[in-house]
Amino acid sequence: MPEVSTNRFKRDLGKRQMLGLFSTLASPALTEMFAQLGFDWILIDTEHSPNEPGDIVAQLQVMESLAADPIVRPAWNDMILVKRLLDFGAQTLLFPYVQNAEDAQRAVSGSSRAAAYGLIPDYFAKIQKEICVIIQIETTEALADIERIAAVDGVDAVFIGPADLAASMGHLGNTQHPEVQEAIDDGFRRLKAIGKPAGYLTNNEDEAVRRVAQGIDFVGIANDTTLITRGARSLLSMVKGA
């Protein structure tokens, strides 16, 4: 008889540092490959990527027997979208563009493939403890209210998104601007002070090393597009220079 899967990401959150990757290319084959390389988690993005329902389900399926745990980012904090993702089998959700505690409360209130097609007894009572809710902070308004957002009952972690935060601070496309980095550091200090696990994504290698050394709980160190393009450019440059 099927059972509700233990959410390993939620179990380990705040107990050990976890490194991850963003999946943006809607490719189950790539997701499967990256999931076998030693990443702790892979986020299947639907906000800024062409991942459609079939792509999400296929990627969740290929990750079921692998060590990397899936996170899914809905396109928006929308009850219908969230219910569909939960039905697909997602257990950990990262909600974009949460501006205040009220937005965070809507995200928490949001929960069939996940129920093993009706074969799991007492499914709803069991699944609740395995759902992990991550709130994404992306603006100066949200950053100013970070403690109240993080304190909403049911919020398991807070993720700071540097790109949109930089834009909201007037530094579009420049996440490494000193003012942006200072604001991010302050956000992480405040989350640590209240004991809330924190997450982050950067495609900057030096910053990735710094954030890992800083002890951020779960760090996205690249996305699939970045890894592929960097590798391709490096190979092309090496061959052309030979």
Side-chain angles (χ1 to χ4, degrees):
M1 185 70 70
E3 289 291 335
V4 171
S5 299
T6 298
N7 188 335
R8 297 174 303 186
F9 180 88
K10 184 175 183 179
R11 179 194 64 193
D12 293 343
L13 185 60
K15 298 177 182 175
R16 68 180 183 92
Q17 192 173 56
M18 297 180 282
L19 303 183
L21 172 80
F22 271 46
S23 169
T24 66
L25 294 174
S27 171
L30 280 177
T31 297
E32 183 176 33
M33 180 187 73
F34 284 123
Q36 297 182 74
L37 292 178
F39 289 102
D40 297 299
W41 55 269
I42 292 180
L43 183 141
I44 303 168
D45 183 38
T46 73
E47 184 187 16
H48 297 299
S49 307
N51 281 304
E52 297 296 338
D55 305 312
I56 299 166
V57 171
Q59 290 175 81
L60 290 172
Q61 287 174 329
V62 299
M63 292 180 68
E64 280 183 351
S65 60
L66 300 175
D69 296 313
I71 301 172
V72 181
R73 179 163 68 176
W76 194 246
N77 186 359
D78 177 87
M79 180 74 73
I80 302 302
L81 294 176
V82 171
K83 286 195 296 184
R84 293 194 73 192
L85 293 175
L86 292 172
D87 283 345
F88 295 164
Q91 290 184 319
T92 301
L93 300 175
L94 189 154
F95 290 87
Y97 205 75
V98 171
Q99 289 287 80
N100 48 53
E102 290 69 30
D103 285 350
Q105 185 60 58
R106 280 194 292 274
V108 169
S109 300
S111 304
S112 37
R113 181 177 173 272
Y117 307 100
L119 299 177
I120 299 177
D122 302 319
Y123 165 74
F124 290 105
K126 295 176 180 178
I127 193 60
Q128 196 60 42
K129 67 178 182 179
E130 303 300 341
I131 298 297
C132 182
V133 174
I134 305 169
I135 297 303
Q136 185 166 342
I137 300 294
E138 304 183 67
T139 66
T140 53
E141 176 187 339
L143 194 62
D145 204 23
I146 196 168
E147 287 90 353
R148 204 165 71 93
I149 292 171
V152 170
D153 188 33
V155 170
D156 295 292
V158 175
F159 184 96
I160 297 179
D164 286 327
L165 179 60
S168 79
M169 296 179 68
H171 302 295
L172 181 65
N174 187 7
T175 62
Q176 299 306 304
H177 191 283
E179 289 183 0
V180 178
Q181 289 293 304
E182 182 179 348
I184 293 168
D185 286 338
D186 180 61
F188 285 135
R189 280 194 296 269
R190 291 158 64 192
L191 289 171
K192 185 174 182 179
I194 61 174
K196 182 65 66 173
Y200 192 66
L201 168 70
T202 179
N203 286 315
N204 181 291
E205 295 178 15
D206 291 336
E207 189 189 9
V209 171
R210 185 165 75 87
R211 295 301 176 192
V212 170
Q214 191 177 5
I216 305 307
D217 297 280
F218 58 106
V219 183
I221 58 175
N223 59 47
D224 48 6
T225 306
T226 303
L227 289 179
I228 292 169
T229 54
R230 281 180 182 170
R233 284 173 179 164
S234 177
L235 176 60
L236 187 60
S237 177
M238 180 182 69
V239 172
K240 281 184 174 181

